[in-house]
Amino acid sequence: AALRAADVGVAMGLAGSDVTKQVAEIVLTDDNFQSIVVAIEEGRRIFANLTKFIVHVLSSNVADTIALIVGLAFIGDDGRTVFPMSPLHILWINMVTSTPPALGLGLEKPSPYVMDVPPTPPKQGLFTKEVVADIFVGGILQGALTIAVYAIVLYGTPGPTEFTSICNTEGVPQDILEFCNEVYRARAACFATLCILIDRKST
């Protein structure tokens, strides 16, 4: 009855009876209670690292989305959007800049104070208010800084400010290339800024 009432029932593998082993959620094969402490520490490490992984990946996606959506407001002289990042930039950020640091966060060693943290409520999931706030606040700030750099470089540096959506394509004609250079420079700054912010967030 006590094993059924407990949140996690533990039974001895060597000295315990067959009935207790069947009812218990955990069976200690070596009958060593220290194994429970090791298991709890490892479980907390996995939970903490999984939370870091999710926050890093989703906040990066929020930043990408914010930059791309707000970037629709940059209209060229032909009335069409001049995108702040190219498809290759977006692919690079998602596959190269964001993924390896996220995998590294998932493999981090446990904090020395991991056992000092109060137990997580059984019904509490990964997406707590703090985690959701971290995802959106961090992502919005990264996206805002990225788009701000794009705007500053595009409009705040000396040079022609006339540009069209043809800068979104490859093989720009030579007579238009001079005007697209400012767009390319702004995109490079936008891309570099977002990459740096994502990497800094993972440290």
Side-chain angles (χ1 to χ4, degrees):
L3 287 175
R4 292 184 181 276
D7 292 330
V8 179
V10 180
M12 297 295 184
L14 298 177
S17 64
D18 292 337
V19 176
T20 57
K21 293 177 186 178
Q22 292 176 1
V23 175
E25 283 85 3
I26 296 176
V27 178
L28 299 178
T29 57
D30 56 359
D31 286 8
N32 186 357
F33 281 104
Q34 184 62 28
S35 302
I36 300 177
V37 178
V38 175
I40 292 174
E41 182 178 5
E42 179 64 12
R44 291 188 174 191
R45 183 192 72 83
I46 293 173
F47 186 85
N49 289 353
L50 185 58
T51 302
K52 294 176 186 177
F53 177 90
I54 290 174
V55 169
H56 176 80
V57 171
L58 294 186
S59 63
S60 300
N61 290 338
V62 170
D64 284 343
T65 304
I66 293 294
L68 294 175
I69 290 177
V70 177
L72 296 175
F74 292 89
I75 306 298
D77 293 339
D78 58 352
R80 297 183 178 181
T81 299
V82 180
F83 301 124
M85 287 187 289
S86 69
L88 183 60
H89 288 157
I90 300 169
L91 184 63
W92 182 276
I93 289 172
N94 288 333
M95 299 299 296
V96 179
T97 304
S98 180
T99 302
L103 294 176
L105 289 174
L107 299 175
E108 274 191 340
K109 294 181 179 180
S111 166
Y113 309 103
V114 67
M115 296 302 290
D116 297 333
V117 179
T120 303
K123 294 184 179 181
Q124 177 179 308
L126 287 172
F127 293 95
T128 61
K129 293 180 180 179
E130 293 79 10
V131 170
V132 173
D134 196 6
I135 290 171
F136 282 98
V137 172
I140 290 172
L141 288 176
Q142 290 179 69
L145 287 172
T146 300
I147 208 67
V149 169
Y150 178 71
I152 291 171
V153 175
L154 189 61
Y155 295 108
T157 56
T161 56
E162 298 86 2
F163 49 86
T164 67
S165 62
I166 198 173
C167 300
N168 294 332
T169 63
E170 297 181 0
V172 177
Q174 192 65 32
D175 56 336
I176 305 294
L177 187 60
E178 179 183 359
F179 300 101
C180 289
N181 282 337
E182 295 301 319
V183 176
Y184 297 154
R185 188 177 295 113
R187 280 183 184 165
C190 176
F191 171 71
T193 300
L194 187 55
C195 288
I196 291 171
L197 290 174
I198 291 174
D199 284 338
R200 290 288 296 175
K201 187 174 177 61
S202 65
T203 57

